[in-house]
Structures are given as C-alpha cells and as structure tokens.
Amino acid sequence: QVTDDRQYRSDQPCASPGYWGGQVTTDCDERREPARTMFGAEQERWLLQGLSSSAARWNILAQQLLMAQLDERRGDQRAWWTDGWDGYPAARRRILDHLQQNRIRNCVVLGGDAHSFYANDLKPDFDDEKSPVVATEFTGTSITSDPGGPYEYFKAMLPYNPHIRYFESRYRGYVRCELTPKLWRSDLLAVDDVSKADSAVRTLKRFVVEPAQPGVREA
C-alpha cells in the first residue's frame, strides 16, 4: 500500500511562536494527543482495512518518512523531530498495534526523507524491551542531494534507540528490494560519485527478512 503522509496529516506539534514546520523538541502535550494523525482519518482507515484484508505473502507499506522512533537526546532529556513520525506517536502506535492485534505478518515498511540509510525493527512500544517486533523497516538515503544527516550526531543517538539496527548517512544511494515467496532481501547501495552519471555503485549492506520472522537480519 502506498500512502500520502503530507497532505492530510495534523499540523506539526510543539511549534515555536511564529514558526511553522518541523523542529527538534524535548516534548509537549500536543505531540502525544491521541487524535493526532499522520495520514488523516480516512486514509488511516483505508490502510488498516487493507492490511487486515490482505492475502499477500508480503505486506508492503510505502510511505515518505522514517517510521521508527528516534530519540535525539539533549543531555538527560529525550527529544523528537516533530515533522516525522515522532511528531505523531499515537498514529504510529495505532498502526503497529493493529499489526500485532490482528496478527498481520510479513509487513515491511519502506521510507525515506532522512537522507540516511536505516534498517529498523518496528515495535508497538519502542520504550518497552519486551514489546514484540511486528514489522521491519528499510529507509533509503537521498540519491544525489547532499549532505546526509550528520553522521557523528546520529551515531551518538543509537544507544538510546536499540531498535535501529543499522544507520549510515555518509553515502548517497538507494535501497534495492528483491522479493520471493521464501525471502525478502534489501540491498543498501551507495553511489561512489554523485557528480558522475556513470559512477560505480557498491553494496554497503545486505539484509533479509524471512516469512513470519519480522525484524532486521544481516544477510
């Protein structure tokens, strides 16, 4: 299923006076409001109904952002980028709860926008180590635009986000996915020189997902 998470969503929360758009915030009550939606109510219903009725071997959710929680710590305080799914945690929880409660298997989420590669385990409650992994996420970096997310900055956040199994922002490229009934494979491909149309492309990492075994596994 291919979704639109730009046109119909609630406004970004925790906005500073006179500023509209995403920002990193240490939190506000608005961010956690249950009624907030990333897709809009109609599109969210369509998505959940489609997942429930699917008879496909692989359930693919193609959307524009990084879905996994990314805690961008500020000292001892947790912090969130409000333009992404961390600005809409209740909406994300509804989707991931739906996967768990309805036993929807083999769901893989594809995302982008972060200008970085990510491979993530998706859980209904990212703060509970006992919360089950219900889906797998692969996020592609930008193909040509520079720069990526500051590598050392986000690398320092990984200990606070153990569900992020792989992160890399120093290269441009894309994710190539190959599907068979028995295996999903995602290759993270990096372009050596974005200024050259005939630049070599190399594989940074290979990951696989097996049916009925959600989560990231290196090939």
Side-chain angles (χ1 to χ4, degrees):
Q1 292 174 283
V2 180
T3 58
D4 182 341
D5 55 17
R6 292 298 190 187
Q7 292 193 78
Y8 308 109
R9 62 180 177 170
S10 308
D11 286 339
Q12 297 95 333
C14 315
S16 300
Y19 178 82
W20 299 99
Q23 58 187 311
V24 177
T25 178
T26 55
D27 219 354
C28 68
D29 291 339
E30 182 187 10
R31 188 184 76 91
R32 298 185 299 275
E33 289 177 355
R36 290 181 51 74
T37 173
M38 177 65 85
F39 293 138
E42 182 178 353
Q43 186 178 201
E44 186 174 311
R45 285 194 299 270
W46 168 83
L47 171 63
L48 298 183
Q49 290 169 0
L51 289 169
S52 294
S53 61
S54 173
R57 171 61 115 183
W58 298 102
N59 291 294
I60 305 169
L61 171 52
Q63 48 86 57
Q64 291 91 338
L65 301 168
L66 173 71
M67 181 173 276
Q69 178 174 284
L70 176 56
D71 179 1
E72 300 184 38
R73 292 289 174 110
R74 295 292 186 272
D76 293 333
Q77 289 187 299
R78 311 183 79 184
W80 318 101
W81 171 242
T82 62
D83 191 47
W85 278 99
D86 285 327
Y88 305 78
R92 175 175 59 201
R93 180 68 184 259
R94 286 194 295 271
I95 294 170
L96 298 178
D97 274 344
H98 185 81
L99 296 179
Q100 180 186 8
Q101 294 165 4
N102 292 273
R103 299 181 180 180
I104 298 168
R105 299 192 173 188
N106 306 334
C107 184
V108 178
V109 177
L110 302 178
D113 190 59
H115 292 229
S116 305
F117 288 113
Y118 286 91
N120 308 314
D121 294 339
L122 296 182
K123 309 166 64 173
D125 187 348
F126 290 99
D127 297 325
D128 181 358
E129 62 180 16
K130 296 181 180 180
S131 183
V133 177
V134 297
T136 313
E137 178 179 30
F138 297 106
T139 296
T141 187
S142 52
I143 295 176
T144 58
S145 58
D146 243 356
Y151 178 76
E152 295 298 335
Y153 170 85
F154 285 105
K155 183 180 177 182
M157 303 301 167
L158 297 184
Y160 308 117
N161 299 276
H163 49 275
I164 295 178
R165 305 292 299 282
Y166 180 80
F167 160 76
E168 179 56 75
S169 66
R170 294 170 293 183
Y171 305 98
R172 312 277 59 80
Y174 55 97
V175 179
R176 179 179 62 201
C177 300
E178 180 181 339
L179 288 68
T180 71
K182 294 183 178 181
L183 193 71
W184 173 299
R185 190 177 84 177
S186 286
D187 296 338
L188 278 51
L189 303 174
V191 178
D192 284 342
D193 188 341
V194 297
S195 67
K196 297 180 179 179
D198 59 349
S199 172
V201 178
R202 56 198 171 94
T203 301
L204 290 178
K205 284 286 184 179
R206 286 193 171 103
F207 297 101
V208 296
V209 183
E210 296 183 20
Q213 297 184 38
V216 175
R217 184 163 68 85
E218 192 169 341

